[in-house]
């Protein structure tokens, strides 16, 4: 992706992994309208960036994100309906639509505080890896508001009913270890191992056939909302589409290596990829 003049985020690529860092550490990466516009632009471009094999979203400094910026996003736009609407659309675009439809695997690397609206990109990413001492909170109740946008819907889907109700109504915080126990994140690690663990996980994803990864993550998201019979029908069509979409011809290659060459066992690891 060409370098763009962002002030609120940093975009870097290292060996196929694109790191997008929310970069307002002095405000604990609270999300301002300007940050939303930059994230929306960045994700639109990264979705078609050939150097991006895995996307990681994280925060600079002590926080992943302290949620919506209470001054710049809420108070300063209170009497400016056009700006309120524009920034709201940009927010919903990047931290929900663009992330949930991103064509490559996405990882939220939660390095610290994660409050309110900051929970949405975590839920939207395919995977989430948290520092054990990261602090999560549905703090809305403490502001006298409810978890709006996609937050309530997301926690009610990702957590159990009991846990979603408890954390939303009490506003009690939970750390990265607890987030793993609640299955709110994929796993947690000590903070000094966070980046290394994220890179290792990203590399594991990069060993797989990218077309199969994309179709599989899309399938897992979609079937959750379908009745069984429709899911089977959808998966049949999706599976056929994958055969034509996959430039590596993974299905035939896997069959060849297993049945003819006898060089691989799928239960023990991926077939030997031949990149096109
Ligand atoms: N909006 C605007 N500014 C914020 C936000 C926010 N969500 N969060 C932090 N800041 C600002 C603080 O006002 C402070 O600014 P200042 O230096 O100009 O005074 C600066 O960021 C640093 O914040 P501190 O509170 O000093 O940092 P600390 O490390 O002590 O605490 C914490 C961090 C726990 C995240 C605290 O800032 C906090 O509780 N923030 C609000 C979290 C929250 O409830 N977010 C949900 C918002 S509602 C929603 O998203 C829908």
């Amino acid at each position: 992706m060409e370098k763009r003049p962002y002030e609120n985020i940093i975009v870097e690529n290292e060996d196929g992994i694109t790191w997008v860092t929310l970069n307002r550490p002095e405000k604990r990466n609270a999300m301002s309208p300007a940050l939303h516009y930059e994230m929306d632009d960045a994700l639109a471009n990264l979705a078609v960036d050939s150097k991006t094999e895995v996307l990681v979203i994280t925060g600079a400094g002590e926080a992943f994100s302290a949620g919506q910026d209470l001054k710049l996003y809420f108070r300063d736009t209170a009497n400016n309906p056009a700006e309120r609407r524009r920034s709201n659309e940009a927010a919903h675009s990047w931290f929900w639509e663009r992330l949930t439809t991103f064509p490559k695997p996405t990882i939220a690397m939660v390095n610290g505080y994660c409050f309110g609206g900051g929970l949405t990109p975590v839920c939207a990413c395919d995977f989430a890896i948290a520092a054990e001492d990261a602090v999560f909170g549905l703090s809305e109740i403490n502001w006298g508001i409810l978890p709006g946008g996609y937050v309530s819907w997301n926690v009610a889907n990702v957590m159990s009913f009991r846990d979603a109700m408890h954390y939303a109504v009490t506003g009690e915080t939970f750390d990265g270890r607890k987030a793993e126990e609640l299955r709110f994140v994929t796993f947690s690690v000590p903070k000094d191992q966070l980046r290394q663990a994220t890179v290792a996980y990203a590399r594991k994803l990069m060993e797989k056939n990218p077309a199969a990864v994309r179709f599989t993550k899309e399938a897992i998201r979609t079937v959750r909302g379908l009745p069984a019979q429709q899911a089977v029908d959808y998966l049949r069509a999706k599976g056929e589409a994958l055969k034509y979409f996959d430039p590596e011809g993974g299905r035939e290659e896997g069959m060849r290596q297993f049945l003819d060459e006898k060089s691989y066992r799928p239960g023990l690891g991926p077939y030997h990829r031949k990149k096109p």
Side-chain angles (χ1 to χ4, degrees), residues 26-28 30 62 66-70 74 113 115-117 139 143:
E26 71 292 349
K27 298 289 180 189
R28 305 298 179 262
E62 296 160 49
Q68 296 289 12
D69 190 306
L70 292 149
F74 285 121
Y113 296 118
F115 283 100
S139 56
W143 297 105

Side-chain angles (χ1 to χ4, degrees), residues 247-265:
E248 290 186 24
R251 191 172 187 273
E252 289 70 34
E253 186 56 26
M255 295 267 195
R256 193 186 67 73
Q257 290 180 19
F258 182 79
L259 296 172
D260 305 331
E261 205 174 86
K262 296 192 179 297
S263 61
Y264 120 101
R265 293 287 173 275

Side-chain angles (χ1 to χ4, degrees), residues 24-31 62-63 65-72 74 113-118 137-140 142-143 145-148 151:
R24 302 184 68 223
E26 71 292 349
K27 298 289 180 189
R28 305 298 179 262
N29 306 317
M31 298 180 288
E62 296 160 49
S65 173
Q68 296 289 12
D69 190 306
L70 292 149
K71 179 176 186 302
L72 299 176
F74 285 121
Y113 296 118
C114 182
F115 283 100
L138 286 150
S139 56
E140 286 87 340
N142 296 325
W143 297 105
I145 61 175
L146 56 76
V151 180

Side-chain angles (χ1 to χ4, degrees), residues 45-104:
N45 286 293
L46 290 170
V48 290
D49 173 40
S50 58
K51 290 206 178 84
T52 299
E53 294 178 54
V54 173
L55 179 81
V56 180
I57 302 216
T58 190
E62 296 160 49
F64 177 78
S65 173
Q68 296 289 12
D69 190 306
L70 292 149
K71 179 176 186 302
L72 299 176
Y73 183 81
F74 285 121
R75 184 185 272 175
D76 288 3
T77 63
N79 297 316
N80 185 345
E83 179 67 2
R84 167 65 66 91
R85 187 180 171 89
R86 209 162 76 87
S87 53
N88 185 259
E89 281 178 356
H92 287 185
S93 169
W94 84 261
F95 67 31
W96 189 249
E97 281 97 21
R98 291 205 192 283
L99 277 180
T100 53
T101 60
F102 202 79
K104 320 287 176 63

